[in-house]
Amino acid sequence: MFVKLYCGLSCSPSCSRSQSQGQAELRLPCRTEQLKALSDNIFDVLVIGGGATGCGCALDAASRGLKTALLEVSDFSSGSSSKSSKLLHGGLHNLQSALRTLDTKQLLRMYDVLQERALFLKTAPHLVKPVAMVMPIEEYRDLPGQWLLLKLYDLLAGGSKLKASHFLSAKQTHFACPMLRTDNLKGSLVSYELQMDDARLCLALALTAARQGARVANYVQVQQLSPPDMTGIRLVIAKDLLTQQQLAVRATCVINAAGAFVDNVRLMDSKQSVAIARPTAGTHIVLPGYFARSCAVHGLQPGEVFAMPWQGHTLVGCSDGALGLEPMQTEVDELLDKFRQKIRPDVVLSKKHVLSAWKGLWPCVAGPVSRRPLLLASERRLLTIASGDWTNYRAMAEDTLDGAIKMLRLHPQSECCTHRLPLEGARHWTKELPLQLMRSFDLPADVAHHLSESYGTNAFTLLSAFDGCHGRLHDQLPHIEAEVHYAVLFEYALTAVDVLARRMRVAFVDVEAAMQMLPRVVQIMGWRLNWSPAVQEDQMLRTVRFLQAEMGMGTVTLSDSMTIAQAEMDKRIAAK
């Protein structure tokens, strides 16, 4: 399949203004220009992996003035970085174990992580927001110890705490969480964490890195790592998966940030490499929004599920399961059973309520996972970073680049500044932005809030550049057609899955809605990317396979309309 992202596509008269000032300011190098630059330069740092860690490393390196490149074999955040719990947390469970063992080092690490959590409110305020975490109390004897634990959690966060933890009576708890089981409820304790849109946060990192001068490219597969030459330069052979053309990229330092697949890259570096990462899997499901409208429900015991509002729906997770990306019916049933134990017995919850399901893979590395990454340096100038999570990605990237600069004698132009660098769409963002969008573009409230929380201040460019494309893609969802145009022209989206799953999170919250939106999304992308009818058909089929294999469509999520649509797609697949 051949796809070309044009550098100077202009919008049709029916859906855009001509080269608005905002559009000119926002334009980044197109993919063709990025690929050409990869072969034309010798980079200080080449990052392999476009997840949170890889994009964080690329941003850190580029913002220090190092010549930086990033290669991702699929789309940005297509792995576990888009399949997380959607929480940026300080590790309340870790505090319990640290106090039990009097582990002062663990407490210091938690302090660092809580400081990192607070930085998101400065660098990406549009993509994160506090969420109340409700812990039901069924025995009065449990209240003093758990209340003290939350107060110590607040104390550890210091001035960076989001809001102070507090107690709710049984009546107040029922008002806040009306679906919660009340037969033995004595009250609840409430703490606060940050909730995020993980895929768009990762994309913001990649785009901000590109704005800082990094050369970033998705759908580029690293195939070979040559040994360093006499000057210490490594040759990396890669392939553009869209054109099948080979690329030769040269770099002084190569950072392996491939997540659960770091060992694959290490084996390219040396056949004698010993595996350090054992992938583990976790499953999440999405239910209608009324199951958790305003607060999250969680517990302190290992294996307990949590449920929280996300994207207007209810996210329930997480259960450990078999390796692979396909959510299994047994894993979904386990989550449903555990969630039923937390809600009132008169509330009906069945398989029919499951709107989407997905499974993420995470690397489980030997030894304790801390703020500091597990950083390994090979004799061939390959640095592997293989631990951590979303909350401490920035600190991990800073530590990795500090190590690279010291070990490989790189020469940055400045110190690390990512702790204060606004990410894409964050500059000048305020909570009043939805109201401004409603007044300026006559938008419904849900659409304005969605655009503000997904694109930040870039929503002005999106709406003005495509001012004739403000119609909804689905009657029940706030996504509009302009987002598809914007994703192709400004966010390096190259497939329908890129748009439906990661630029817009529809596939993650409602696979039936994603199926209904698919034909129009492919039609818009086909016009933007000059797809032939055959390529458009191929994109339709590839997206359906993705929804079936990774989002649970047709297996754990079922409906009459979806069954009809899927049967039609199955006929088309069989005919092809």
Side-chain angles (χ1 to χ4, degrees), residues 2-7 28-40 215-217 240 243 245 247 492 494:
F2 176 79
V3 182
K4 183 178 180 181
L5 182 59
Y6 289 93
C7 301
L28 288 168
C30 71
R31 187 172 184 272
T32 303
E33 295 170 331
Q34 298 281 37
L35 292 176
K36 185 178 185 303
L38 288 173
S39 299
D40 291 347
R215 298 300 184 175
V216 302
D240 178 2
T243 65
Q245 294 181 345
L247 302 170
Y492 299 116
L494 295 168

Side-chain angles (χ1 to χ4, degrees), residues 381-536:
R381 308 173 81 92
L382 175 71
L383 273 68
T384 296
I385 177 171
S387 66
D389 56 28
W390 254 116
T391 311
N392 63 9
Y393 89 89
R394 193 209 66 83
M396 292 165 54
E398 180 180 354
D399 289 345
T400 301
L401 266 296
D402 286 345
I405 291 168
K406 182 178 180 180
M407 286 185 282
L408 302 178
R409 295 183 176 87
L410 303 179
H411 301 287
Q413 298 176 12
S414 62
E415 297 293 325
C416 176
C417 63
T418 53
H419 59 286
R420 62 175 183 274
L421 182 63
L423 299 185
E424 189 78 0
R427 197 176 298 275
H428 307 307
W429 183 88
T430 67
K431 294 181 179 179
E432 287 72 38
L433 180 59
L435 182 60
Q436 297 172 18
L437 296 176
M438 291 168 63
R439 290 174 174 172
S440 300
F441 298 96
D442 192 25
L443 296 177
D446 63 332
V447 173
H449 279 87
H450 158 67
L451 296 178
S452 172
E453 293 174 358
S454 297
Y455 302 91
T457 50
N458 287 350
F460 282 108
T461 300
L462 183 152
L463 291 165
S464 61
F466 310 106
D467 61 357
C469 300
H470 295 177
R472 293 178 187 261
L473 288 163
H474 191 279
D475 291 342
Q476 304 300 317
L477 295 175
H479 306 85
I480 61 176
E481 292 188 353
E483 294 179 72
V484 185
H485 296 274
Y486 186 86
V488 173
L489 290 181
F490 296 105
E491 295 183 335
Y492 299 116
L494 295 168
T495 72
V497 172
D498 294 347
V499 173
L500 286 170
R502 291 175 288 272
R503 304 308 184 275
M504 304 185 297
R505 306 311 307 277
V506 182
F508 277 79
V509 298
D510 192 333
V511 292
E512 181 177 2
M515 276 287 289
Q516 294 170 357
M517 292 164 60
L518 176 59
R520 181 55 179 157
V521 169
V522 170
Q523 184 181 31
I524 294 173
M525 295 187 73
W527 177 69
R528 280 287 170 199
L529 295 169
N530 197 28
W531 286 344
S532 67
V535 172
Q536 293 188 44

Side-chain angles (χ1 to χ4, degrees), residues 111 114-119 121-122 151-164:
Y111 173 80
L114 287 166
Q115 306 313 304
E116 288 296 318
R117 183 189 66 175
L119 293 179
L121 291 170
K122 299 178 180 179
K151 288 304 175 183
L152 288 174
Y153 194 57
D154 289 349
L155 183 63
L156 199 59
S160 67
K161 71 174 178 287
L162 304 174
K163 295 180 181 179

Side-chain angles (χ1 to χ4, degrees), residues 309-379:
W310 184 67
Q311 299 278 321
H313 296 71
T314 300
L315 174 64
V316 179
C318 162
S319 68
D320 295 335
L323 292 181
L325 295 177
E326 181 179 358
M328 308 301 291
Q329 185 65 60
T330 54
E331 297 161 357
V332 172
D333 289 342
E334 180 184 355
L335 282 174
L336 290 173
D337 288 341
K338 288 183 177 180
F339 187 47
R340 285 192 192 98
Q341 297 173 18
K342 292 182 176 291
I343 61 177
R344 301 198 321 262
D346 61 318
V347 175
V348 177
L349 174 61
S350 69
K351 297 177 184 178
K352 291 184 178 180
H353 289 103
V354 179
L355 302 176
S356 183
W358 73 86
K359 182 183 290 186
L361 296 178
W362 293 272
C364 182
V365 180
V369 176
S370 67
R371 172 195 181 275
R372 300 189 64 85
L374 174 59
L375 185 60
L376 300 178
S378 76
E379 296 178 355

Side-chain angles (χ1 to χ4, degrees), residues 101-116:
T101 59
L102 300 178
D103 188 345
T104 56
K105 291 183 178 180
Q106 178 74 345
L107 292 174
L108 290 174
R109 287 193 292 265
M110 284 190 63
Y111 173 80
D112 286 342
V113 169
L114 287 166
Q115 306 313 304
E116 288 296 318

Side-chain angles (χ1 to χ4, degrees), residues 95-221:
L95 177 59
Q96 194 174 30
S97 62
L99 292 174
R100 188 181 303 116
T101 59
L102 300 178
D103 188 345
T104 56
K105 291 183 178 180
Q106 178 74 345
L107 292 174
L108 290 174
R109 287 193 292 265
M110 284 190 63
Y111 173 80
D112 286 342
V113 169
L114 287 166
Q115 306 313 304
E116 288 296 318
R117 183 189 66 175
L119 293 179
F120 285 89
L121 291 170
K122 299 178 180 179
T123 60
H126 59 302
L127 294 173
V128 302
K129 59 182 177 182
V131 59
M133 307 291 292
V134 175
M135 186 192 310
I137 302 295
E138 296 185 349
E139 297 286 347
Y140 283 121
R141 64 188 179 193
D142 296 334
L143 181 59
Q146 294 186 4
W147 179 85
L148 179 60
L149 187 71
L150 293 187
K151 288 304 175 183
L152 288 174
Y153 194 57
D154 289 349
L155 183 63
L156 199 59
S160 67
K161 71 174 178 287
L162 304 174
K163 295 180 181 179
S165 58
H166 55 89
F167 174 78
L168 293 180
S169 66
K171 184 177 181 180
Q172 292 171 324
T173 302
H174 178 65
F175 181 79
C177 305
M179 293 288 184
L180 194 63
R181 196 180 195 98
T182 58
D183 43 1
N184 293 319
L185 188 67
K186 303 300 188 295
S188 63
L189 290 169
V190 182
S191 59
Y192 292 87
E193 301 286 6
L194 278 184
Q195 185 185 83
M196 63 172 167
D197 184 336
D198 51 4
R200 291 211 60 87
L201 186 56
C202 187
L203 178 65
L205 289 172
L207 296 177
T208 309
R211 199 167 297 287
Q212 292 290 318
R215 298 300 184 175
V216 302
N218 49 356
Y219 295 99
V220 175
Q221 182 182 46

